[in-house]
Amino acid sequence: MAKVAFLLANGFEDSEMKNPYEAVREAGHETTIIGLEKNVECKGKTGTVYTSELAATDVKATDFDAVIIPGGGAPEALRVNDDIVRFVREVNAQSKLIAGICHGPQVMISANVLDGKQATCYIGIRDDVKLAGADFKDEEVVVSENIITSRTPKDEPAFIREILVKLS
């Protein structure tokens, strides 16, 4: 059983949180929602609400086996938080799974973990991913060492499949 962190803030893409979160839990893994603060409601773009269980200041990479970053507007708020960036950087340094869909790779960009990797993302941040040193691929899911990325909600089945493969 893996311990999986979900990074969340207001404005996340509802299905990109809900579907991977439920799939990871159903597969028997332990999930923790990490936000900018502890015990704060995070509201999705279409009204789904999750409550953060831990604040970014309280987490260490050694406590988790994987990190998943849903897209939408949340990654923009997460990427400017030094503790979130530190956490993702530390997870990467330990070669643990980091998965981001849609705008999720924005957090990876700020943590400087995409250089030399292959990645995909929402088309609007494609140039940012390239400038971060990644080889951009316009594919439903890209697995590059410990990094998994996908583009949009329609790619969720492939995104979830690859996450569950890495966690098994």
Side-chain angles (χ1 to χ4, degrees):
M1 176 173 80
K3 294 177 77 173
V4 182
F6 280 79
L7 304 185
L8 212 58
N10 282 325
F12 63 89
E13 184 66 48
D14 299 63
S15 68
E16 292 174 355
M17 171 60 185
K18 179 182 181 290
N19 295 332
Y21 182 75
E22 289 178 1
V24 166
R25 291 176 66 90
E26 286 171 15
H29 303 291
E30 183 181 327
T31 57
T32 304
I33 299 172
I34 298 169
L36 301 175
E37 296 177 38
K38 184 178 179 175
N39 295 324
V40 172
E41 284 191 349
C42 299
K43 294 183 178 85
K45 289 167 50 176
T46 61
T48 307
V49 176
Y50 289 91
T51 301
S52 60
E53 298 165 292
L54 291 174
T57 54
D58 301 329
V59 297
K60 299 184 303 242
T62 53
D63 296 335
F64 294 93
D65 301 303
V67 174
I68 298 176
I69 312 165
E76 189 67 37
L78 294 167
R79 74 184 301 190
V80 297
N81 180 282
D82 292 340
D83 291 303
I84 290 283
V85 170
R86 169 198 51 79
F87 177 62
V88 171
R89 193 176 291 133
E90 289 173 359
V91 168
N92 187 65
Q94 295 175 19
S95 299
K96 294 178 179 176
L97 171 62
I98 303 171
I101 186 168
C102 190
H103 286 80
Q106 287 179 308
V107 178
M108 299 178 197
I109 292 166
S110 294
N112 196 29
V113 301
L114 290 179
D115 192 25
K117 304 280 175 76
Q118 293 182 341
T120 193
C121 59
Y122 175 71
I123 195 76
I125 63 166
R126 174 190 59 198
D127 293 340
D128 303 300
V129 164
K130 289 179 180 178
L131 289 170
D135 178 15
F136 175 80
K137 303 287 185 192
D138 186 13
E139 299 170 5
E140 67 178 359
V141 65
V142 176
V143 179
S144 185
E145 298 173 26
N146 64 312
I147 304 288
I148 298 174
T149 51
S150 281
R151 302 170 299 192
T152 65
K154 71 177 171 45
D155 299 330
E156 287 170 24
F159 182 65
I160 292 166
R161 179 190 71 232
E162 294 302 327
I163 289 169
L164 294 178
V165 165
K166 284 277 192 186
L167 293 177
S168 62

